[in-house]
């Protein structure tokens, strides 16, 4: 079978989907965000409830995506959902944004975190973080080009190692002596509902939606995609609650508020200075796990775009030998490396990439959740798909959360010095998709 005729094969099990979901979500955010969340809450119970709420909101979203995935088990995830729900033009703009802003920006951001921590172990000069980031993108892209089987095996190993490392931190924190009382800073009227706390909680939970890109490659899609999403979110929520309980018990809320790196301080308090080196390995593993899963799923949208629009036809070729969209992976890798290079010229590459991606990400998250209401009017591709429990309450709650995150993430991005530059460039890239869409339509009309 030629590369032009090859199609995705169903090589992924429920376990593979769970590993990819957990690997996408549990990353460096859980080692950075808790101190910010603690700084915007006024008590330990409120702090933990914010993380529980984040899990509930993510589960609502996972259920929405599970129904959409069961209705349309196609490679492309949100691209397919938006195509069926809001039309070809909206789907194109999403795929364009994902290729140029959302996924490639996320890849670059994760790579910068990898670079930051790898540089603490072996610095490579003034641009050490960017060098490591670029090399990581190239290496992980090459791994995925080699094939789905190799990539999923590495992902499973990295995610297993990461989960074990997180459990070590949890056990260390829960068995250590309780923290001495530390003054708790006033939350200045902010809470998990109205301040930065919920923003960073939901950002830390971000990434579970990537499992939707695996529907065409998962065995028994209708049942298994639901299992992968729900099991993955439950596992993540339990791990996050345990890890934050360990932070809280070891450092106290006041200690977390004053900490620049809560995981580092926890390990130092329980294992001494030697724990710092272990933490570096943990964070590097977390970044690689997340980076591999992000690269793996990201190219699937580019592949779907190439199948639907003639001007991107080369992206829609599936390589039979490696069972991967090789051209889509290579284009994604080139763009991500270019973003690493551009962000390396700003004071904080990671912060710049967060500002670059966040507004577009939450915009299309909101539109995807709205599409479920529209698609309920039509017959699904499968005769008996999974249906969201408590409809329409569950998807309505998720829509509200997405709208809040769109507003909050834009405000947050614009409040940052390098981040505001990234946000403006990201919005400009999103807008540039409109003339590209018009060109694609003219090419299609011309035959």
């Amino acid at each position: 079978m030629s590369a032009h005729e090859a199609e995705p094969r169903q090589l992924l099990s429920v376990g593979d989907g769970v590993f990819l979901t957990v690997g996408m979500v549990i990353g460096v955010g859980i080692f950075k965000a808790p101190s910010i969340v603690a700084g915007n809450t006024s008590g330990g119970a409120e702090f933990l409830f914010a993380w529980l709420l984040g899990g509930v909101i993510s589960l609502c979203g996972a259920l929405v995506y599970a129904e959409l995935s069961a209705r349309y088990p196609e490679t492309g995830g949100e691209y397919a959902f938006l195509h069926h729900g809001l039309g070809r033009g909206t789907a194109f703009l999403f795929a364009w944004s994902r290729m140029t802003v959302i996924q490639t920006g996320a890849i670059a951001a994760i790579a910068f975190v990898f670079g930051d921590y790898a540089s603490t172990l072996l610095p490579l000069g003034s641009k050490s973080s960017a060098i490591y980031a670029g090399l990581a993108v190239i290496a992980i892209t090459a791994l995925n080009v080699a094939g789905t089987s190799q990539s999923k095996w590495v992902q499973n190993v990295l995610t297993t190692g990461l989960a074990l490392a997180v459990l070590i931190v949890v056990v260390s924190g829960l068995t250590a002596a309780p923290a001495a009382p530390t003054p708790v800073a006033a939350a200045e009227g902010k809470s998990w509902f109205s301040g930065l706390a919920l923003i960073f909680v939901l950002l830390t939970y971000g990434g579970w939606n990537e499992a939707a890109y695996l529907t065409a490659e998962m065995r028994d899609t209708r049942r298994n995609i639901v299992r992968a999403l729900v099991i993955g979110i439950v596992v993540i929520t339990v791990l996050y609650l345990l890890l934050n309980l360990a932070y809280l018990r070891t450092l106290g809320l006041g200690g977390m508020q004053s900490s620049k790196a809560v995981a580092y301080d926890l390990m130092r308090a329980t294992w001494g200075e030697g724990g710092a080196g272990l933490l570096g390995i943990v964070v590097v593993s977390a970044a690689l796990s997340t980076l591999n899963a992000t690269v793996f799923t990201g190219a699937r949208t580019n592949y779907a775009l190439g199948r639907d629009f003639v001007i991107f036809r080369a992206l829609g070729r599936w390589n039979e030998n490696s069972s991967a969209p090789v051209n889509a992976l290579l284009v994604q890798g080139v763009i991500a490396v270019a973003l690493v290079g551009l962000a390396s010229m700003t004071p904080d590459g990671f912060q710049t990439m967060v500002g670059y991606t966040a507004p577009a990400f939450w915009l299309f998250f909101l539109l995807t959740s709205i599409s479920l209401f529209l698609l309920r009017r039509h017959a699904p591709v499968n005769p008996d798909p999974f249906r969201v429990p408590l409809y329409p309450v569950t998807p309505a709650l998720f829509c509200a959360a997405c709208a809040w995150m769109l507003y909050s993430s834009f405000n947050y991005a614009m409040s940052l010095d390098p981040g505001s530059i990234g946000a403006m460039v990201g919005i400009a890239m999103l807008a540039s998709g409109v003339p590209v869409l018009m060109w694609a339509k003219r090419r299609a009309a011309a035959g």
Side-chain angles (χ1 to χ4, degrees):
M1 184 178 291
S2 69
H4 293 268
E5 299 170 337
E7 296 286 343
R9 290 181 289 170
Q10 295 181 329
L11 301 176
L12 304 178
S13 65
V14 173
D16 296 325
V18 171
F19 274 114
L20 282 163
T21 302
V22 174
M24 277 300 308
V25 176
I26 299 181
V28 292
I30 194 58
F31 302 114
K32 290 188 173 185
S35 60
I36 302 173
V37 177
N40 288 274
T41 51
S42 56
E46 184 181 335
F47 170 77
L48 292 175
F49 183 76
W51 291 96
L52 178 61
L53 180 63
V56 171
I57 292 173
S58 298
L59 182 59
C60 289
L63 293 171
V64 169
Y65 270 61
E67 176 170 336
L68 290 170
S69 299
R71 281 175 166 268
Y72 301 101
E74 306 169 16
T75 294
E78 286 113 325
Y79 174 81
F81 309 152
L82 290 168
H83 191 172
H84 291 290
L86 295 174
R88 186 179 174 92
T90 303
F92 177 91
L93 290 177
F94 166 75
W96 171 261
S97 298
R98 187 169 169 88
M99 182 171 63
T100 60
V101 181
I102 299 171
Q103 197 74 0
T104 46
I107 291 170
I110 297 163
F112 267 110
V113 176
F114 167 80
D116 289 341
Y117 278 87
S119 297
T120 65
L121 303 175
L122 181 63
L124 299 178
S126 60
K127 296 292 184 181
S128 178
S129 180
I131 293 172
Y132 274 118
L135 291 175
V137 172
I138 293 170
I140 295 297
T141 298
L143 173 67
N144 280 269
V145 167
T148 294
S149 296
Q150 293 88 337
S151 175
K152 77 169 186 177
W153 180 83
V154 171
Q155 182 64 44
N156 292 353
V157 171
L158 286 173
T159 304
T160 300
L162 172 59
L164 289 174
V166 169
L167 288 175
I168 290 173
V169 177
V170 168
V171 172
S172 298
L174 294 180
T175 57
T182 303
V184 176
E188 299 180 357
K190 296 177 181 178
S191 70
W192 50 264
F193 186 77
S194 60
L196 288 176
L198 188 57
I199 298 173
F200 278 89
V201 166
L202 288 176
L203 286 175
T204 308
Y205 272 98
W208 52 263
N209 59 301
E210 299 299 318
Y213 291 85
L214 310 176
T215 52
E217 298 169 73
M218 186 168 287
R219 307 182 198 115
D220 193 4
T221 298
R222 178 185 171 275
R223 292 187 297 175
N224 287 349
I225 191 63
V226 177
R227 293 172 180 172
L229 281 166
V230 173
I231 293 172
I233 291 296
V234 170
V235 169
I236 292 159
T237 302
V238 171
L239 284 175
Y240 277 5
L241 285 172
L242 289 174
L243 189 53
N244 281 288
L245 183 61
Y247 289 147
L248 194 61
R249 186 178 186 277
T250 305
L251 303 175
L253 190 67
M256 293 179 67
Q257 290 175 341
S258 60
S259 174
K260 297 292 185 182
V262 288
Y264 175 87
D265 289 340
L266 183 149
M267 293 300 291
R268 184 172 59 182
T270 55
W271 286 26
E273 292 297 334
L278 176 62
L279 177 67
I281 296 173
V282 169
V283 176
V284 165
S285 299
L288 285 177
S289 173
T290 307
L291 184 63
N292 184 62
T294 307
V295 169
F296 183 95
T297 58
R300 270 60 183 173
T301 307
N302 299 344
Y303 165 76
L305 179 68
R307 298 191 67 182
D308 288 351
F309 291 89
V310 65
I311 63 172
F312 295 114
R313 181 179 297 163
L315 300 179
R317 296 173 182 169
W318 195 272
N319 187 283
E320 175 68 14
N321 294 329
S322 61
S323 189
V326 171
N327 290 349
L329 282 164
L330 292 175
V331 169
Q332 175 182 265
V334 169
I335 295 173
V337 170
L339 289 175
V340 168
L342 291 173
S344 69
M345 302 176 189
T346 65
D348 188 322
F350 172 77
Q351 188 171 285
T352 300
M353 286 296 97
V354 169
Y356 180 76
T357 61
F361 173 81
W362 286 106
L363 169 63
F364 286 106
F365 230 171
L366 174 61
L367 293 177
T368 301
S369 57
I370 290 173
S371 70
L372 176 62
F373 293 98
L374 303 175
L375 290 170
R376 277 286 186 120
R377 304 174 184 175
H378 308 291
V381 173
N382 291 331
D384 184 28
F386 170 82
R387 298 177 76 83
V388 176
L390 301 178
Y391 181 91
V393 175
T394 302
L397 289 174
F398 185 60
C399 283
C402 289
W404 167 251
M405 285 301 295
L406 172 61
Y407 167 78
S408 300
S409 62
F410 182 79
N411 280 352
Y412 173 69
M414 296 304 292
S415 71
L416 302 173
D417 182 23
S420 62
I421 297 174
M424 290 186 287
V425 175
I427 292 170
M429 288 302 298
L430 167 60
S432 70
V434 175
V436 177
L437 173 61
M438 296 174 63
W439 175 42
K441 288 182 175 180
R442 285 199 298 268
R443 284 289 303 273

